[in-house]
Amino acid sequence: MSDIIELLPDHVANQIAAGEVVQRPASVVKELLENAIDAGASQIKLLVKDAGRTLVQVIDDGKGMSTTDARLSFERHATSKIKSADDLFALCTKGFRGEALASIAAVAHVELKTKTENEEVGTRIEIEGSTIKEQEVCATIKGTSIAVKNLFYNIPARRNFLKSDNVELRHVIDEFQRVALAHEGIGFVMYHNDNELFNLQRANKRQRIVSIFGTKTNEKLVPVVEETEIVEIDGFIIKPEFSKKTKGEQFFFVNDRFIKHPYLNHSVNAAFDGLLPDRSRASYFIYLKVDPKTIDINIHPTKTEVKFEDEHAIYNLLRAAVKHSLGQFNIAPILDFNRESNMDTPYSYKDKAVEVPRVEVDRNFNPFETVTSNGRSSHVANYEKKSSAGWETMYEGLDRRTTESSFSSLQIEDEPEGESLFVEHESKGFTENKQTDRDAANTYQIHNKYVVSAIKSGMLVIDQNRAHQRVLYEEFLRNITVKESVSQQLLFPLRLDYSSSELALFSSLKESLENTGFVLDFPEDGILEVSGIPASIQESEVSIVLEQLLSDVEQEVPNAGFSQTDVLAKSMAKSMAVKTGEKLDDLSREHLVNKLFACTEPTLSPFYKKTFITLTVDELDRKFNA
């Protein structure tokens, strides 16, 4: 039998490694920024075009590389970070595998310029798909500049799987923020399509958080500090009243490296137990320092998953530290044992004997007693009867017939027992329906979840939440396309706090949101002003709808395709649809059924789930005869 096992060519091996290391433009940003930090840079500049599809360039003022190191840096497993396997248990650098640059060069056009402080000229290398096209000396400043162009140019399938520019930019900004938060002593600047998004000066942790997430964040932060032999805890938590229903700001850093750790996240949430509003999540910026020997970060290529030697102890210490901060800064409710000052016994009474209180009554007092001119008292009440003559004139000119006709012409409006969802006002995206109660009696509600309607062949069982999602989804798509939405103006505009990246996302969605009925403005940094909202939602629901929209656009809602309009319509329909457990009156149910079957695709919700099922009379007969 002939030998069948062969070594893969380098360019094939590099592309396989790129599948693990480089998943999207944000992966390139992360690797290049971490390399710049390992190079000892004090100022780092990130340039991005078309959300990273066209260009990702990182410029730093680090120590640079020699000509030999510049050439060797693009080889697989070539690194200056570790020398032996033992170094894996004492890592003080971001990278250590030596695969990042080789993987990036395998799927993009890369241009590198670098120079050390002692050299007069630098080195320029140009690579396409792992192949070196050009290497020459060049004039450049100290440090390194590496530009990654046309990502995935040689892997069309991978490029087609990238999301929209808004989603990819969001991931790029997330990676930039994670690195910037972990290294507050380094200055960072970020540009997207020649527009400056961030300009972060060297500062402390609190200033760095505020500069990224807006000035309003400063009042929300509660410091957390704890130092033990196992772990040093530093950072901030967000006050419970500012928590969000979406993921929000949740950052863990271990030895200046961003990590994702569900177990520690549960620890923080356990400390907030009973303080957060319903279905809200705690937000935090927690920095942990542990002995490098007690942590393993060599688990996943992205290095965001770690293993601690004693996770249980760190869990308890973190929960205790967060609870201590909540109590120390009067965030958690406490019993108030302070006495009122007026309840204290006067000092002069401290030696006075206790006596039973006595009630004195004047038995001669008479409230009806009057005094006459001769000084004698009289017990007769002095009531004066006033004449009421002339009262008959109030009714002159009126006869009984006109009075009766006047009363018969009055229309008295009966108040309904329960608030109507459609007649009194437009609610949940429904409009007024003038059908009679007799027609509406054809529908019934089961467990405030399903609407049952009779048809000729049997009956329909409709999921009210999914059906309303379909109705609103098509309505929003029509409004965005035709640009004929109904908006209600707010007497007092809402001012909502968001980070600069979230505001940038709202800015890109502004036109589409205004076509659905929102009226938005950006009066100052970190503030979104809402002066008009769709007629189908209430003012109290605005922040919930917008937060859900941020989360959905970030994740691009499963099965949402590549249309920004589609994502927006699905997200708003999901947030504003009538919820399971909400009671609907007769007209509301009938109107929901009519609107559903007026849709172009009534059988499925926007998320491709059944909106109703049909039970025929034959099926019911078979069940009874079984």
Side-chain angles (χ1 to χ4, degrees):
M1 181 177 178
S2 60
D3 299 332
I4 59 175
I5 298 178
E6 298 179 3
L7 288 174
L8 290 175
D10 288 342
H11 68 279
V12 176
N14 287 340
Q15 287 193 4
I16 294 174
E20 297 180 353
V21 178
V22 185
Q23 300 173 357
R24 59 194 340 146
S27 306
V28 177
V29 171
K30 174 182 180 294
E31 299 294 345
L32 297 185
L33 289 178
E34 291 182 347
N35 281 345
I37 292 170
D38 288 340
S42 60
Q43 191 72 27
I44 300 175
K45 183 182 293 185
L46 171 63
L47 308 176
V48 179
K49 287 188 177 181
D50 300 330
R53 300 170 192 266
T54 304
L55 173 69
V56 174
Q57 184 175 8
V58 173
I59 304 171
D60 67 71
D61 59 354
K63 58 187 177 182
M65 292 182 285
S66 64
T67 302
T68 304
D69 287 345
R71 173 64 185 84
L72 194 59
S73 64
F74 291 97
E75 298 294 333
R76 289 193 69 198
H77 308 305
T79 180
S80 62
K81 315 296 174 60
I82 61 174
K83 302 297 182 183
S84 64
D86 294 336
D87 295 337
L88 290 173
F89 302 100
L91 287 172
C92 298
T93 57
K94 304 300 173 190
F96 54 86
R97 292 193 180 98
E99 285 189 333
L101 288 182
S103 301
I104 293 171
V107 293
H109 297 164
V110 179
E111 182 184 25
L112 171 70
K113 293 182 180 179
T114 183
K115 186 178 86 70
T116 61
E117 186 175 7
N118 298 327
E119 293 179 339
E120 295 183 357
V121 294
T123 303
R124 176 182 175 274
I125 297 178
E126 188 175 333
I127 300 178
E128 294 182 7
S130 298
T131 303
I132 296 180
K133 296 294 184 180
E134 190 173 355
Q135 178 173 345
E136 61 183 4
V137 297
C138 69
T140 184
I141 60 175
K142 170 182 170 288
T144 302
S145 170
I146 181 167
V148 179
K149 307 173 185 177
N150 304 321
L151 187 64
F152 300 134
Y153 79 99
N154 54 352
I155 310 179
R158 182 78 62 82
R159 191 177 181 90
N160 291 335
F161 275 111
L162 294 179
K163 304 291 186 180
S164 64
D165 282 359
N166 284 330
V167 175
E168 294 300 336
L169 178 61
R170 177 76 177 175
H171 286 287
V172 169
I173 291 175
D174 285 345
E175 292 295 348
F176 176 84
Q177 290 178 348
R178 292 167 181 174
V179 175
L181 287 171
H183 301 88
E184 67 277 4
I186 300 176
F188 290 88
V189 181
M190 178 180 174
Y191 290 87
H192 178 247
N193 292 341
D194 298 327
N195 296 322
E196 183 181 281
L197 298 185
F198 295 95
N199 191 341
L200 310 176
Q201 303 300 319
R202 302 172 68 176
N204 57 36
K205 287 183 173 66
R206 191 183 196 106
Q207 292 170 337
R208 177 55 56 88
I209 293 171
V210 170
S211 61
I212 291 178
F213 294 99
T215 55
K216 295 290 184 180
T217 310
N218 190 39
E219 64 187 42
K220 306 176 185 178
L221 299 177
V222 177
V224 178
V225 179
E226 191 67 46
E227 185 173 348
T228 67
E229 295 180 355
I230 299 175
V231 60
E232 295 180 14
I233 302 174
D234 188 15
F236 302 90
I237 54 177
I238 301 293
K239 294 178 182 179
E241 58 265 31
F242 297 106
S243 61
K244 298 181 179 180
K245 294 187 182 296
T246 55
K247 185 177 180 182
E249 290 81 33
Q250 298 179 339
F251 295 90
F252 276 119
F253 301 94
V254 175
N255 296 348
D256 295 333
R257 183 191 302 274
F258 172 79
I259 65 166
K260 297 177 181 178
H261 208 287
Y263 188 55
L264 295 185
N265 178 68
H266 184 274
S267 171
V268 177
N269 287 326
F272 274 88
D273 188 27
L275 299 178
L276 295 175
D278 185 32
R279 290 185 292 181
S280 294
R281 305 184 183 185
S283 298
Y284 49 80
F285 305 86
I286 303 294
Y287 299 80
L288 307 177
K289 289 283 187 183
V290 299
D291 188 344
K293 296 181 180 179
T294 64
I295 185 175
D296 183 10
I297 61 176
N298 190 24
I299 297 176
H300 193 272
T302 60
K303 298 184 281 290
T304 57
E305 299 179 13
V306 299
K307 287 290 184 181
F308 293 96
E309 188 175 74
D310 193 351
E311 287 187 342
H312 186 67
I314 295 178
Y315 178 97
N316 291 324
L317 289 170
L318 179 59
R319 184 177 62 176
V322 174
K323 270 187 172 294
H324 177 71
S325 293
L326 290 171
Q328 182 180 8
F329 293 93
N330 295 325
I331 305 300
I334 58 174
L335 294 176
D336 186 8
F337 293 103
N338 294 330
R339 294 178 300 174
E340 293 288 343
S341 58
N342 58 0
M343 299 294 291
D344 293 339
T345 303
Y347 185 76
S348 58
Y349 280 68
K350 68 183 183 68
D351 297 327
K352 202 170 185 180
V354 178
E355 298 179 358
V356 177
R358 292 178 296 178
V359 179
E360 297 180 358
V361 179
D362 183 4
R363 300 184 180 278
N364 297 322
F365 173 75
N366 186 348
F368 299 101
E369 184 179 17
T370 59
V371 181
T372 62
S373 58
N374 58 2
R376 296 181 179 181
S377 61
S378 174
H379 297 287
V380 179
N382 186 20
Y383 294 116
E384 180 182 357
K385 184 176 181 181
K386 297 182 179 180
S387 175
S388 57
W391 62 270
E392 297 90 348
T393 59
M394 296 176 59
Y395 299 96
E396 289 181 357
L398 297 177
D399 58 3
R400 185 175 183 83
R401 184 177 305 170
T402 57
T403 303
E404 290 178 355
S405 62
S406 298
F407 278 105
S408 63
S409 63
L410 290 177
Q411 294 183 356
I412 300 175
E413 181 179 359
D414 295 331
E415 288 191 8
E417 294 182 0
E419 187 181 28
S420 174
L421 195 57
F422 311 116
V423 178
E424 295 294 334
H425 59 83
E426 295 183 358
S427 175
K428 298 294 180 185
F430 293 133
T431 55
E432 189 174 351
N433 190 341
K434 299 294 185 181
Q435 286 188 300
T436 63
D437 292 336
R438 183 177 58 81
D439 295 332
N442 291 328
T443 61
Y444 307 91
Q445 193 175 19
I446 301 176
H447 295 298
N448 294 341
K449 181 177 182 180
Y450 299 108
V451 175
V452 178
S453 178
I455 56 176
K456 291 182 179 180
S457 60
M459 65 179 181
L460 289 174
V461 182
I462 301 171
D463 187 306
Q464 65 185 35
N465 176 255
R466 294 181 184 178
H468 199 200
Q469 284 183 10
R470 165 54 64 177
V471 172
L472 291 179
Y473 170 68
E474 295 197 4
E475 181 180 326
F476 286 133
L477 280 182
R478 184 166 55 253
N479 289 342
I480 294 173
T481 305
V482 183
K483 301 182 180 180
E484 293 182 356
S485 60
V486 178
S487 177
Q488 56 182 354
Q489 297 301 305
L490 300 178
L491 182 60
F492 300 103
L494 294 175
R495 293 172 64 88
L496 305 175
D497 300 335
Y498 291 104
S499 65
S500 55
S501 60
E502 291 171 336
L503 289 178
L505 184 57
F506 279 127
S507 180
S508 65
L509 295 172
K510 183 179 179 182
E511 182 179 355
S512 297
L513 283 171
E514 289 180 344
N515 290 336
T516 64
F518 282 100
V519 179
L520 308 177
D521 193 17
F522 306 93
E524 56 185 275
D525 291 341
I527 298 295
L528 173 67
E529 186 175 271
V530 183
S531 56
I533 59 177
S536 53
I537 69 172
Q538 299 178 4
E539 184 177 341
S540 59
E541 298 175 336
V542 172
S543 60
I544 299 174
V545 171
L546 294 180
E547 285 180 11
Q548 185 64 51
L549 175 62
L550 281 176
S551 176
D552 289 340
V553 171
E554 178 181 353
Q555 303 299 329
E556 202 168 46
V557 187
N559 302 321
F562 300 96
S563 170
Q564 177 178 294
T565 301
D566 191 58
V567 175
L568 176 60
K570 286 185 176 180
S571 176
M572 294 186 63
K574 180 174 65 174
S575 301
M576 296 164 57
V578 59
K579 301 297 186 291
T580 296
E582 187 167 342
K583 186 174 179 58
L584 303 178
D585 60 24
D586 294 340
L587 294 179
S588 303
R589 299 194 300 267
E590 187 71 20
H591 190 72
L592 176 60
V593 175
N594 293 339
K595 293 288 285 185
L596 174 63
F597 288 98
C599 294
T600 57
E601 182 54 71
T603 59
L604 297 175
S605 74
F607 303 97
Y608 307 105
K609 296 181 179 179
K610 285 184 178 180
T611 57
F612 67 87
I613 60 173
T614 304
L615 291 178
T616 64
V617 176
D618 293 339
E619 290 175 335
L620 293 174
D621 290 341
R622 285 196 296 269
K623 288 182 180 294
F624 279 105
N625 296 328

